[in-house]
Amino acid sequence: MSISTHAPGLSNARFYLKLLFSLTLLFITACKVDTPSDRSAAFQPEDPGFVVVAEGELPPLATGMTLQSPERFRQLIDDTIKRGDDERDPRFYGYAEGMVRQRLETHPEDVGALLTLADLLQKQHAFEEATHVFEQVIQLAPANPQAYLSMAMLARQRGDFAGMEKLCRQLLARAGAEVAAICIYAAQGLQGKLGSSYEELERVIERPLHPAINRWARQEAAEMAARLGQPDRARAHWTAALEAAGSSVPPAELLVAIADFYLLEQQPLDVIDLLAGETEMPALAMRLAAADVAVAAGREEGDADAVRSKWVDELQPWLDLWTARGEQSHAGELAYYLFAVRAEPEQALEPAFAQWSARKEPQDTLLLLEIISQLGEDSDVARQSLQSVEEWLKQTGYEDQRIRSLLAVAS
Amino acid sequence: MSRPLLMLTCLLLGWTSLSFAHQPASSYILLQAQADEAGSKGSVLHLSWRVHVRDLATSVALDNNGDGAVNWLEVRQADARIRRFFQDSVRITAGSTVCSPSEPPPLALRTLYDGLYLSFDTPLDCIIAADAVIDVSASAFFTSDPLHRTIVSVSGPGWPSLQQVLASSEDEAEFETAADSATTADIFTTFIYQGIWHIAIGLDHILFVFALLLTVVLVKEGHSWRPARSNRAVFLQTLKLVTAFTVAHSITLSLSVLGLIQGSAVWVESIIALSVAVVALNNIRPILSDRLWAVTFIFGLIHGVGFASVLLDLGLPPEARGLALLAFNIGVECGQLLLVVLVLPLLLALRHWLPYRRWIMPVLSLMIALMAVYWIGERTGVMS
């Protein structure tokens, strides 16, 4: 066989020599040189001043503060939790819990420390342990309203609305009239008296309230208005709740609730405005992703898939890390991710039902019903889940126009 | 490997970064058994302990000058304290033997998915028998951060993938490393399969061979291609190229696996991409036609180092290193031959068709070259 082309001006021998020389050099370089592009490779900085932890990033206890003074302790814990809230960084909740538990080892009856511990446990969805700590607080300080209020909120999360109302009534003698009233109307609004409770709550809101109480009242009122099918009034309350947060970083739970409201109202652009830059916390990032996908879907076909795929690439490592850490408390986020971001309702159903079984916030019930209504009659698991939700609704008298619409589609 | 475990590996190797950086704290204890070079029947355990420097600062005083930050000098000054903390809080035993670092390892840093980690990499002074039980306990950080998790992963030749999570509630884990008493036949078939699988998923290797095959049925004549006259000539040329590639990558695969040469992943992967580009561009404007086998041989040497990195990641059974190497190589050859068998008849049939020579072959070659250029950019970091 003849393969004819020759490199012009080069004899075969010279060509081979040059080729072998240059490629061998390349090969040797490849085998010898290690490059810093190998990101995970271990390295020792040559510069002793190389910054390993930047200023302000050290955990609070590492800065040399001690836990001797209760005031300093309380301040340190509060600052650490606030940093976790502001930076959406769960690492700080861990550090704060470590400090609280150390404090409780030497001062097991410190009510403030116990309340903080219970709040931190609630953030981790460790509801049973949190309830146990609140009960301890009530035994130690029966007049303390915080424990009753927090336990009322826990009862609501579990779907025990009658129990919630009982705990709210305990506040009448222990907290301000407004706090007790907001709590009671919120509880009654979940048990078949939605319209009247909403009107009463609006009257409470007209009074001058502490900004934190005002924010809570507005949040409750917004939820009630949304359940009544009055989106304009709900929107006004949400806006007021955000304003009540003032210049501080709005709580993530508030943003999640508002984003869910906008998404149900088919207003994804508002979610993108609301959550711009909020990519540090899974629940928020997932709402942002869902809004981004919804906006892209409204533009042209094909675009939404590219956007979806970009978000999946961003969010999936997070879920994988949870799995690697053996974390069990992210069923709600997993369900939301699978349904709203990955568009996989079949896979989303199981974690959504697990989340709803453990916690019955409006967003949990709505997500489960949205998934069921997409899956339709063909899925046995969906039909069984729907039956459970319908029984619970009947039992509690829970009212929600949005749920009614979804039920109509689902059944 | 399960996806979460694979993903975790990617995170630990720095191949993936989380755009959303805030995570609860995790530290890592990675134990890898490697064949004992001293020739005993067991394996030596290598430890890599990785801990975020911020988390370490909750347990070991690092900020010596009190400026609220930590620099590398302060880490080095805390060397003894860090080692003591490690000794006090991490315990690894194999059977009844306590495993300790066999030499004081230098402290180093690694950039992982959520920041800088202190890395403590060292061989341990215990020999692991084939059916050893490894116990790991780690109490570090659970007091200062109850949300902290220590992820322990144990790997070894022929062992199942083992991973457990330690937390404040359960700070001990037991790993039964008993290999599935793999027979010689099991090892042979496993590594043949891995060789074939690596070719099947290694698009760069496939495209290199495919680009070579595109013109193996043609002969350069002036500025245009003409079909090769006989099938025999085509088979001979294919044999020449495939043999050059096979011999070359077998050499470097063996040398790498035996530890005689070591390649930097970034460079090797980049040159593999370059090799694809060179062969594809040579199809469009041939300058190497009658020396293509020599170029194939040289590039084959680099592909061999690439194959070796896969094989080393799989872990070679200490009792059957040679067999596994041979089987993996045979697997690679099988994958390669399968490609030739699938593609060559089609190309033989197409070689007389003018549009193939004028359009299809050059366009396919150009697409391959563009893909390879993209890989070069990606692998050298130019495009990141």
Side-chain angles (χ1 to χ4, degrees):
Chain A
M1 185 176 80
S2 138
I3 302 173
S4 62
T5 303
H6 289 258
L10 283 176
S11 71
N12 275 352
R14 278 175 63 203
F15 174 82
Y16 284 129
L17 273 176
K18 282 192 173 182
L19 185 70
L20 278 171
F21 179 73
S22 53
L23 290 175
T24 308
L25 204 63
L26 201 61
F27 178 68
I28 291 168
T29 316
C31 289
K32 288 288 174 201
V33 178
D34 204 3
T35 71
S37 318
D38 206 351
R39 282 190 74 231
S40 73
F43 67 98
Q44 292 176 306
E46 286 176 13
D47 174 12
F50 178 87
V51 176
V52 181
V53 183
E55 196 179 342
E57 283 186 3
L58 275 176
L61 262 186
T63 56
M65 293 184 78
T66 63
L67 300 180
Q68 296 308 313
S69 139
E71 291 73 29
R72 284 186 78 189
F73 155 73
R74 215 159 278 141
Q75 190 58 50
L76 187 60
I77 305 275
D78 289 349
D79 290 349
T80 308
I81 293 174
K82 187 172 183 313
R83 215 166 138 191
D85 289 342
D86 290 355
E87 297 177 21
R88 318 278 190 225
D89 191 343
R91 202 180 281 257
F92 288 98
Y93 301 143
Y95 296 149
E97 191 183 326
M99 288 187 271
V100 173
R101 287 192 186 274
Q102 281 179 52
R103 170 76 185 170
L104 288 169
E105 269 179 24
T106 51
H107 301 80
E109 299 195 344
D110 183 331
V111 170
L114 286 168
L115 279 171
T116 308
L117 177 63
D119 282 342
L120 287 165
L121 291 169
Q122 257 185 296
K123 280 185 197 287
Q124 299 162 35
H125 298 187
F127 299 131
E128 270 185 37
E129 207 183 335
T131 307
H132 175 70
V133 178
F134 281 131
E135 283 165 357
Q136 258 181 285
V137 171
I138 288 172
Q139 270 186 355
L140 288 168
N144 189 307
Q146 184 60 47
Y148 287 98
L149 181 57
S150 297
M151 280 184 64
M153 296 303 127
L154 269 177
R156 173 162 76 181
Q157 287 186 330
R158 288 199 303 264
D160 175 12
F161 304 137
M164 175 189 175
E165 190 177 342
K166 263 188 209 161
L167 287 158
C168 291
R169 291 194 178 280
Q170 297 288 332
L171 291 169
L172 283 167
R174 294 174 175 87
E178 285 86 5
V179 171
I182 296 165
C183 188
I184 291 167
Y185 294 139
Q188 289 179 341
L190 294 162
Q191 302 174 86
K193 296 178 186 166
L194 180 59
S196 58
S197 303
Y198 175 65
E199 278 168 28
E200 294 293 345
L201 185 59
E202 282 218 311
R203 273 193 277 279
V204 176
I205 286 170
E206 282 165 16
R207 298 181 213 163
L209 297 171
H210 181 279
I213 297 173
N214 184 30
R215 190 182 70 206
W216 170 43
R218 290 288 188 173
Q219 200 168 334
E220 296 289 353
E223 281 289 359
M224 288 163 104
R227 294 201 326 259
L228 279 166
Q230 297 178 5
D232 292 340
R233 294 173 87 171
R235 181 182 269 272
H237 286 304
W238 286 129
T239 308
L242 272 179
E243 281 166 4
S247 57
S248 57
V249 179
E253 299 77 19
L254 175 62
L255 294 182
V256 166
I258 300 177
D260 283 347
F261 166 76
Y262 285 151
L263 284 167
L264 275 170
E265 291 294 316
Q266 317 281 332
Q267 291 164 337
L269 283 172
D270 289 340
V271 176
I272 291 172
D273 276 350
L274 178 76
L275 300 183
E278 289 280 5
T279 51
E280 298 292 355
M281 192 178 170
L284 295 175
M286 284 172 187
R287 266 75 185 174
L288 192 55
D292 213 8
V293 171
V295 170
R299 277 203 297 264
E300 61 182 270
E301 199 143 338
D303 194 14
D305 285 340
V307 173
R308 189 189 306 283
S309 151
K310 183 200 85 175
W311 277 105
V312 166
D313 288 346
E314 300 275 13
L315 295 168
Q316 185 65 45
W318 223 334
L319 279 91
D320 291 334
L321 191 63
W322 289 341
T323 309
R325 284 172 53 90
E327 294 192 10
Q328 307 289 330
S329 61
H330 295 286
E333 282 145 346
L334 175 63
Y336 193 90
Y337 167 72
L338 291 169
F339 178 67
V341 184
R342 290 193 76 117
E344 292 171 357
E346 295 89 351
Q347 278 72 32
L349 181 58
E350 194 189 321
F353 187 71
Q355 172 74 4
W356 179 81
S357 303
R359 201 187 76 161
K360 289 180 179 62
E361 289 285 343
Q363 71 215 49
D364 303 317
T365 311
L366 285 167
L367 177 64
L368 179 61
L369 285 176
E370 273 191 280
I371 294 169
I372 293 172
S373 63
Q374 267 208 15
L375 289 175
E377 288 288 302
D378 297 338
S379 162
D380 287 343
V381 189
R383 272 202 306 277
Q384 285 160 12
S385 305
L386 179 62
Q387 207 177 341
S388 304
V389 176
E390 284 174 332
E391 276 167 20
W392 175 77
L393 289 170
K394 209 179 288 174
Q395 249 172 36
T396 57
Y398 184 86
E399 295 166 77
D400 192 329
Q401 290 293 327
R402 299 164 301 179
I403 284 182
R404 197 177 291 174
S405 315
L406 285 168
L407 279 175
V409 178
S411 44
Chain B
M1 196 185 273
S2 67
R3 189 185 148 79
L5 189 55
L6 180 68
M7 195 62 228
L8 183 73
T9 309
C10 291
L11 289 167
L12 287 176
L13 291 175
W15 296 342
T16 304
S17 62
L18 292 175
S19 310
F20 315 128
H22 293 165
Q23 306 292 327
S26 304
S27 56
Y28 302 88
I29 293 174
L30 312 177
L31 292 169
Q32 191 175 24
Q34 289 174 3
D36 180 18
E37 284 167 12
S40 75
K41 284 195 171 174
S43 306
V44 175
L45 262 191
H46 286 253
L47 162 76
S48 184
W49 182 56
R50 299 174 190 183
V51 50
H52 201 298
V53 185
R54 255 186 359 175
D55 299 329
L56 185 65
T58 61
S59 302
V60 178
L62 295 177
D63 182 16
N64 289 345
N65 59 14
D67 65 352
V70 176
N71 61 32
W72 179 236
L73 178 64
E74 287 171 310
V75 173
R76 283 194 348 224
Q77 285 168 343
D79 190 298
R81 289 195 297 276
I82 294 170
R83 283 170 206 284
R84 203 163 42 246
F85 174 69
F86 170 78
Q87 277 168 6
D88 292 347
S89 56
V90 177
R91 184 182 160 90
I92 298 161
T93 56
S96 54
T97 315
V98 177
C99 303
S100 308
S102 53
E103 57 198 59
L107 297 179
L109 298 173
R110 286 177 191 267
T111 306
L112 298 188
Y113 57 92
D114 65 345
L116 278 173
Y117 279 63
L118 187 87
S119 181
F120 190 74
D121 301 294
T122 177
L124 299 176
D125 61 0
C126 51
I127 302 291
I128 307 294
D131 56 352
V133 173
I134 299 175
D135 281 295
V136 179
S137 71
S139 57
F141 310 119
F142 300 141
T143 306
S144 57
D145 175 2
L147 295 185
H148 190 102
R149 298 288 179 271
T150 298
I151 299 170
V152 186
S153 137
V154 175
S155 63
W159 296 2
S161 289
L162 303 167
Q163 185 177 308
Q164 291 193 49
V165 182
L166 304 185
S168 52
S169 54
E170 184 63 65
D171 62 2
E172 276 186 50
E174 188 181 276
F175 297 87
E176 289 185 15
T177 64
D180 309 329
S181 57
T183 62
T184 305
D186 289 340
I187 293 171
F188 194 70
T189 47
T190 302
F191 280 88
I192 283 197
Y193 168 78
Q194 289 294 345
I196 296 173
W197 177 244
H198 182 60
I199 282 287
I201 60 166
L203 192 57
D204 43 7
H205 303 302
I206 289 180
L207 286 186
F208 181 78
V209 177
F210 183 66
L212 284 173
L213 292 176
L214 280 176
T215 51
V216 85
V217 294
L218 305 174
V219 178
K220 184 80 178 138
E221 195 171 63
H223 291 296
S224 60
W225 292 99
R226 69 168 172 76
R229 286 202 180 89
S230 69
N231 286 355
R232 188 171 172 272
V234 172
F235 289 136
L236 280 176
Q237 176 68 353
T238 307
L239 188 67
K240 204 164 141 185
L241 294 176
V242 170
T243 306
F245 187 56
T246 300
V247 170
H249 72 61
S250 300
I251 292 171
T252 45
L253 172 59
S254 307
L255 292 176
S256 299
V257 168
L258 295 172
L260 298 174
I261 57 170
Q262 196 179 4
S264 150
V266 173
W267 276 87
V268 168
E269 293 301 317
S270 305
I271 297 174
I272 288 175
L274 177 70
S275 72
V276 178
V278 167
V279 172
L281 291 172
N282 183 62
N283 288 348
I284 300 165
R285 190 162 180 82
I287 57 165
L288 306 167
S289 298
D290 53 351
R291 298 163 186 114
L292 198 53
W293 70 269
V295 177
T296 304
F297 181 85
I298 300 285
F299 280 135
L301 294 173
I302 303 285
H303 281 253
V305 182
F307 293 142
S309 68
V310 176
L311 186 53
L312 289 171
D313 283 350
L314 289 172
L316 287 170
E319 71 285 6
R321 284 160 72 91
L323 181 73
L325 175 62
L326 178 70
F328 185 79
N329 217 346
I330 291 174
V332 169
E333 302 324 319
C334 288
Q336 208 172 279
L337 280 177
L338 193 65
L339 180 66
V340 173
V341 168
L342 287 175
V343 172
L344 198 60
L346 181 70
L347 297 180
L348 279 170
L350 287 174
R351 74 184 198 269
H352 295 290
W353 191 38
L354 190 62
Y356 172 72
R357 304 195 300 270
R358 287 244 175 108
W359 297 106
I360 297 176
M361 185 278 291
V363 168
L364 281 176
S365 298
L366 183 64
M367 285 167 64
I368 294 170
L370 287 174
M371 174 72 104
V373 168
Y374 172 77
W375 283 335
I376 294 169
E378 193 180 50
R379 292 172 185 185
T380 53
V382 171
M383 294 172 68
S384 64

